[in-house]
């Protein structure tokens, strides 16, 4: 889906990272953006960012998303299976998504949406811009080793954090000229493990962080949160995590307002130059508004 260049301001995209229950901070980010009337034109999400982004893109009110997050026990929404390619299945997550927004397609979202997953066979970055929302979110949040990979569209898919944990590129591919990136692992340090799952999660995060640092250079505004003191799976932390998202967004609100402001002459010229293109190149950064 390509966003048309009809507005007198830059097309503004939001990239939401993974982070399990810590993704509740995304709700706080969205609350502040709404409060300051920052209109988001497109959203890309990875893992929990895909879930929160999808619900928001389909018009679910933030208070309902918060209530959903409070009940999002990552083990209750899973079912144990005999170990083969994973210990758990997240089919229940898909059912809960469909209960909330229906069996809907990504291309029908109110706000253009992209969801990032990884092909565990080829190592490819897979970006869903059409097809089942529930299936795409399930694929994007299949943590390797913990969840059984999802077989979908002749691929074996796992968590998108392996290839693009903060989906800045996916947001630009939707047509965003400005990108606000929300990184839930902003301090690039890791909590002392309290069990095998924490060991796995630390290992994955360490492996992807160098890639994330490179990815964030392409964003216009980065909201980086230090959430290492919060559990990845304890829903009791949801209210505090929402507060963290609000506070960190408020700290960057002037920069956000700057990149979202109406375009000057140079920006309008650049947009006209690109308007005949089928897609805004992911590696092109549109000049700042005057």
């Amino acid at each position: 889906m390509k966003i048309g260049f009809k507005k007198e301001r830059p097309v503004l995209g939001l990239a939401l990272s993974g982070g399990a229950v810590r993704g509740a901070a995304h709700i706080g980010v969205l609350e502040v953006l709404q409060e300051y009337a920052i209109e988001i034109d497109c959203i890309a999400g990875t893992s929990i960012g895909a879930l929160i982004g999808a619900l928001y893109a389909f018009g679910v009110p933030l208070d309902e998303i918060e209530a959903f997050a409070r009940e999002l026990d990552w083990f209750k929404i899973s079912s144990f299976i005999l170990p083969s390619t994973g210990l758990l299945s997240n089919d229940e997550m898909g059912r809960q998504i469909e209960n909330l927004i229906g069996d809907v397609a990504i291309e029908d979202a109110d706000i253009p949406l992209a969801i990032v997953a990884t092909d565990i066979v080829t190592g490819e970055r897979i970006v869903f811009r059409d097809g089942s929302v529930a299936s795409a979110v399930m694929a994007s949040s299949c943590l390797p080793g913990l969840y059984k990979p999802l077989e979908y569209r002749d691929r074996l898919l796992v968590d998108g954090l392996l290839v693009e944990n903060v989906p800045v590129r996916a947001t630009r591919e939707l047509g965003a000229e400005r990108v606000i990136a929300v990184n839930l692992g902003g301090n690039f340090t890791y909590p002392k493990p309290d069990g095998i799952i924490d060991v796995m999660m630390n290992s994955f995060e360490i492996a992807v962080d160098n890639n994330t640092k490179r990815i964030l250079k392409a964003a216009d505004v980065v909201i980086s949160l230090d959430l290492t003191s919060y559990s990845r799976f304890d829903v009791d932390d949801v209210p505090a995590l929402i507060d963290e998202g609000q506070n960190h967004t408020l700290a960057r609100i002037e920069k956000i307002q700057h990149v979202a402001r109406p375009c000057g002459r140079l920006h309008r010229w650049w947009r006209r130059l690109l308007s005949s293109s089928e897609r805004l190149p992911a590696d092109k950064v549109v000049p700042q508004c005057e």
Side-chain angles (χ1 to χ4, degrees):
M1 182 182 297
K2 180 73 167 60
I3 300 173
F5 297 111
K6 296 181 180 179
K7 300 181 179 180
E8 286 302 308
R9 61 167 179 80
V11 178
L12 188 62
L14 183 64
L16 302 178
S17 79
V21 168
R22 294 173 181 169
H26 291 317
I27 300 170
V29 173
L30 289 164
E31 286 177 345
V32 172
L33 295 178
Q34 278 195 354
E35 179 183 350
Y36 281 81
I38 304 296
E39 184 180 355
I40 298 300
D41 298 304
C42 58
I43 300 174
T46 297
S47 199
I48 186 66
L51 175 59
I52 300 296
L55 297 180
Y56 189 75
F58 274 89
V60 178
L62 288 173
D63 58 345
E64 291 186 25
I65 298 177
E66 178 178 347
F68 181 80
R70 288 175 183 267
E71 300 298 323
L72 194 64
D73 188 314
W74 284 75
F75 296 100
K76 287 182 180 178
I77 62 171
S78 310
S79 56
F80 183 77
I81 58 176
L82 291 176
S84 53
T85 54
L87 296 173
L88 302 169
S89 167
N90 65 356
D91 291 347
E92 180 61 24
M93 176 186 286
R95 285 189 284 271
Q96 289 199 22
I97 293 169
E98 291 184 350
N99 287 340
L100 197 58
I101 61 175
D103 183 12
V104 292
I106 295 170
E107 62 268 30
D108 294 329
D110 298 331
I111 301 172
L113 175 67
I115 294 172
V116 179
T118 307
D119 187 318
I120 197 62
V121 176
T122 67
E124 290 176 271
R125 167 182 169 271
I126 306 299
V127 181
F128 291 102
R129 290 188 287 268
D130 59 23
S132 166
V133 170
S135 294
V137 172
M138 287 165 60
S140 183
S141 56
C142 277
L143 187 66
L146 183 60
Y147 288 101
K148 179 183 177 182
L150 182 74
E151 294 186 43
Y152 184 57
R153 293 184 174 178
D154 298 320
R155 291 182 179 272
L156 201 59
L157 301 171
V158 297
D159 202 311
L161 69 82
L162 297 178
V163 289
E164 194 179 17
N165 192 39
V166 187
V168 174
R169 179 182 169 193
T171 310
R172 291 210 184 272
E173 288 170 346
L174 280 171
E177 298 167 307
R178 298 283 183 269
V179 176
I180 303 168
V182 185
N183 179 25
L184 300 179
N187 66 340
F188 300 108
T189 60
Y190 316 94
K192 183 178 180 180
D194 185 25
I196 188 170
I197 293 176
D198 281 338
V199 171
M200 289 175 55
M201 291 298 294
N202 277 13
S203 300
F204 283 125
E205 290 181 4
I206 291 168
V208 303
D209 274 351
N210 283 335
N211 187 42
T212 296
K213 291 174 184 177
R214 179 186 59 80
I215 287 170
L216 291 175
K217 292 178 181 179
D220 297 280
V221 182
V222 178
I223 302 172
S224 287
L225 296 89
D226 178 3
L227 303 178
T228 51
S229 63
Y230 296 95
S231 167
R232 296 181 179 97
F233 301 105
D234 188 354
V235 294
D236 289 339
D237 287 340
V238 165
L241 287 163
I242 292 174
D243 288 343
E244 292 279 5
Q246 292 173 339
N247 293 335
H248 282 77
T249 307
L250 285 169
R252 302 290 285 157
I253 196 63
E254 289 187 7
K255 176 66 173 176
I256 293 169
Q257 290 174 319
H258 176 75
V259 301
R261 68 180 180 170
C263 307
R265 292 189 301 275
L266 173 61
H267 186 89
R268 287 195 294 268
W269 172 82
W270 186 261
R271 294 173 99 208
R272 287 196 298 271
L273 185 66
L274 293 173
S275 62
S276 62
S277 301
E278 179 63 24
R279 177 176 297 163
L280 179 66
D283 61 346
K284 295 295 184 185
V285 178
V286 180
Q288 291 287 339
C289 287
E290 298 173 346

